[in-house]
Amino acid sequence: MIYREIKGDLFKAPTDFYLAHCISADYKLGAGIAVQFDKRYNMRSKLNRIGYVGYPQVLLIDDVFNLITKEKYYHKPAHLTMCVVLMDMCRICKEKEINKIAMPKIGCGLDRLQWGKVSQMIKDVFKDMDIEIRIYYQ
């Protein structure tokens, strides 16, 4: 695994990278970086067509991993829930032979998880994969 943290705009990541971000199971996408995903990908509409799937869950839509880490937009996820969605994303990457992912510091903005713990989870979950993971931050 190649893991890098890069100061810059997630949406300027190379086009061969899949993107990932956290959302709630109610698909509100009304705050934080989720708003940009909705604007750029019409994500809320695509998610609503799928319907409710619960959480923790990962929905891959186009080239975007939607990591569902909480039931409602106003809830806060747990580190355990984050670990579950990361393992599911890893499984999907193996199945679909995805080897490049770019994401923000997931779960650590509005959701207030501790980046040190989340970063270590990412490294632990993906450590045995041939994958490049880029974390973008401002």
Side-chain angles (χ1 to χ4, degrees), residues 22-23 69-70 73 75-77 82 106-113:
C22 294
I23 64 170
T69 59
K70 57 191 179 182
Y73 74 93
H75 292 163
K76 300 296 179 210
M82 181 63 71
I106 56 172
C108 297
L110 298 172
D111 284 339
R112 298 190 179 142
L113 293 179

Side-chain angles (χ1 to χ4, degrees), residues 31-49:
I33 200 163
V35 173
Q36 290 300 314
F37 276 94
D38 187 29
K39 285 181 182 175
R40 293 170 186 266
Y41 294 91
N42 193 25
M43 194 57 69
R44 185 180 312 134
S45 176
K46 292 174 182 179
L47 289 162
N48 282 327
R49 275 188 239 128

Side-chain angles (χ1 to χ4, degrees), residues 16-111:
D16 59 339
F17 276 74
Y18 282 69
L19 303 182
H21 71 125
C22 294
I23 64 170
S24 55
D26 59 10
Y27 306 149
K28 293 297 184 193
L29 285 77
I33 200 163
V35 173
Q36 290 300 314
F37 276 94
D38 187 29
K39 285 181 182 175
R40 293 170 186 266
Y41 294 91
N42 193 25
M43 194 57 69
R44 185 180 312 134
S45 176
K46 292 174 182 179
L47 289 162
N48 282 327
R49 275 188 239 128
I50 292 170
Y52 179 81
V53 295
Y55 81 104
Q57 186 82 245
V58 176
L59 293 176
L60 178 59
I61 298 176
D62 302 327
D63 62 348
V64 177
F65 285 98
N66 294 275
L67 309 178
I68 306 172
T69 59
K70 57 191 179 182
E71 181 74 23
K72 301 286 185 186
Y73 74 93
Y74 50 83
H75 292 163
K76 300 296 179 210
H79 284 99
L80 178 60
T81 305
M82 181 63 71
C83 189
V84 170
V85 296
L86 287 171
M87 289 189 296
D88 198 28
M89 183 167 64
C90 181
R91 177 190 57 77
I92 293 167
C93 287
K94 288 176 183 174
E95 287 175 2
K96 298 190 177 290
E97 298 181 359
I98 295 168
N99 61 7
K100 294 182 178 184
I101 299 174
M103 65 183 93
K105 290 184 175 181
I106 56 172
C108 297
L110 298 172
D111 284 339

